[in-house]
Amino acid sequence: MQYQSPFENWYTDSTVHKPLPDFTCETGLVLFPPELVPGIGHPLVDKLGTLAKRLLTMMRKLESYNAFTEKLEYKAVMGASIKIAENPRAFGLSEQAGREARLIVTDESHHAYVAIELIKRIPGFSELPPLTPSQPPFLKGLEELGRGLPTEFADDLLIAFVAISETLITSILRGIPRDRRVVSAVRNTVRDHCIDEARHHSYFVYVVHQHWASCAPHRREILGPLYAKLIRLFLDPDIDLCRAWLLEAGLDAHDAAVIVQDYYSPERLAASIRADAFPTLKLMERVGILDHPTARPAFVEQKLIN
């Protein structure tokens, strides 16, 4: 696949070259689309009252989304982009793609900064007690997968995970900027993120093509099934964190478990993951990954395809 740079207008269009977004938080608007917050609308949460729902459940959802963004950028995307910049040929990439990976590092550092700056400017956030520090499940998952792979696959694992994360355009990034129920601070921040991520999406589509095309047959036998596991790793929800919000909001362990079970029922979770994974699954199909004899069974096992 020939590299077509998505960064030709980076110096004028990238949000790192623009002022910070407007962080206005209008009274009466929500911090996050309610349907994306586990428990909102459930009778067991409704009885807690409006204040608990806003300050704890919904604010914690926004907090976790931004904390996830920060850790994804710092711990994964920037690291993978640096590896590409240092040795693009190792992944079948052009020298120009290697040079431009450095622009992704700059973008992602800015996204991480803005994500945390947004949280600091949300009224009432400073009044919340800090939750017990935890790392997103994807970090632990990458460590576990890495232990089960040959040592020479360490860089391939990170590059494959980041390529997947950057090509999965989630319903959150698509919908929030247009959702007038949500405060301007959140809509503007996500909109800016979307602008840059559109370029990154194009870039990592190229990475997936070339990474797979450059792999020797014996390496494809490992990489193909790995893509399926990484998609699930990225999209699976952090249920423990969700349960922690609900307990903090005032629910007992039984009621919190009921809500988690209702919101993340197997049928609902499977449908949500398939919907969010659709762009990347189509990419896997175009590249030929789904045709590989070791890959397709893994995608079926992870319930990504039939």
Side-chain angles (χ1 to χ4, degrees):
M1 181 180 184
Q2 186 175 0
Y3 181 62
Q4 296 181 334
S5 173
F7 295 99
E8 292 180 357
N9 299 316
W10 183 81
Y11 285 96
T12 55
D13 293 351
S14 175
T15 58
V16 73
H17 296 110
K18 299 178 181 180
L20 288 176
D22 176 7
F23 288 122
T24 298
C25 290
E26 299 90 342
T27 302
L29 298 186
V30 299
L31 298 173
F32 221 75
E35 59 274 11
L36 300 179
V37 183
I40 294 295
H42 196 287
L44 292 173
V45 172
D46 288 344
K47 71 181 183 181
L48 297 174
T50 302
L51 184 61
K53 287 191 292 183
R54 176 178 173 81
L55 290 183
L56 298 178
T57 312
M58 192 165 291
M59 191 172 286
R60 289 303 192 194
K61 174 64 177 180
L62 178 62
E63 177 189 18
S64 72
Y65 169 71
N66 284 278
F68 178 90
T69 297
E70 181 193 37
K71 288 183 171 60
L72 178 67
E73 312 299 29
Y74 284 152
K75 302 291 187 179
V77 183
M78 291 173 65
S81 299
I82 290 170
K83 289 183 181 297
I84 289 173
E86 291 174 339
N87 191 8
R89 294 296 183 186
F91 311 104
L93 310 179
S94 72
E95 291 298 327
Q96 182 183 0
R99 293 195 305 273
E100 294 184 341
R102 295 173 172 84
L103 305 183
I104 296 176
V105 175
T106 302
D107 284 343
E108 303 297 25
S109 179
H110 180 65
H111 295 163
Y113 171 77
V114 173
I116 300 308
E117 192 67 18
L118 167 64
I119 287 295
K120 292 181 181 298
R121 301 196 189 195
I122 297 292
F125 175 77
S126 61
E127 302 166 11
L128 286 178
L131 283 177
T132 302
S134 62
Q135 64 177 8
F138 78 81
L139 289 175
K140 181 180 179 181
L142 286 174
E143 292 175 1
E144 292 176 350
L145 287 171
R147 286 194 292 269
L149 292 172
T151 54
E152 65 268 22
F153 266 85
D155 289 349
D156 295 282
L157 173 63
L158 183 61
I159 298 300
F161 174 74
V162 169
I164 282 169
S165 72
E166 294 292 288
T167 55
L168 284 168
I169 302 176
T170 68
S171 57
I172 292 176
L173 288 182
R174 286 198 302 266
I176 288 180
R178 302 189 300 270
D179 193 335
R180 293 292 177 177
R181 299 171 299 169
V182 178
V183 296
S184 294
V186 175
R187 288 191 292 110
N188 293 337
T189 301
V190 175
R191 181 181 294 112
D192 281 359
H193 196 170
C194 280
I195 291 171
D196 292 335
E197 288 304 324
R199 282 189 292 275
H200 299 179
H201 176 93
S202 297
Y203 182 92
F204 280 99
V205 165
Y206 166 76
V207 170
V208 171
H209 271 272
Q210 295 305 109
H211 191 194
W212 180 256
S214 67
C215 277
H218 72 280
R219 295 178 69 84
R220 289 187 181 187
E221 291 185 3
I222 296 176
L223 187 60
L226 190 60
Y227 275 120
K229 295 176 183 177
L230 291 173
I231 291 173
R232 281 302 300 251
L233 178 62
F234 185 78
L235 291 177
D236 275 339
D238 189 341
I239 292 177
D240 289 340
L241 182 59
C242 170
R243 187 181 296 108
W245 306 330
L246 297 171
L247 293 173
E248 184 188 23
L251 294 170
D252 60 29
H254 175 270
D255 286 352
V258 169
I259 291 171
V260 168
Q261 186 174 3
D262 289 348
Y263 191 84
Y264 292 120
S265 68
E267 297 78 15
R268 179 173 182 171
L269 183 58
S272 174
I273 287 176
R274 283 200 179 193
D276 285 340
F278 182 77
T280 299
L281 292 174
K282 296 301 290 184
L283 172 62
M284 301 281 118
E285 187 176 40
R286 290 198 306 273
V287 173
I289 295 171
L290 291 185
D291 294 329
H292 194 276
T294 65
R296 178 166 286 275
F299 279 81
V300 173
E301 181 183 1
Q302 296 298 326
K303 297 181 171 57
L304 295 169
I305 61 175
N306 295 321

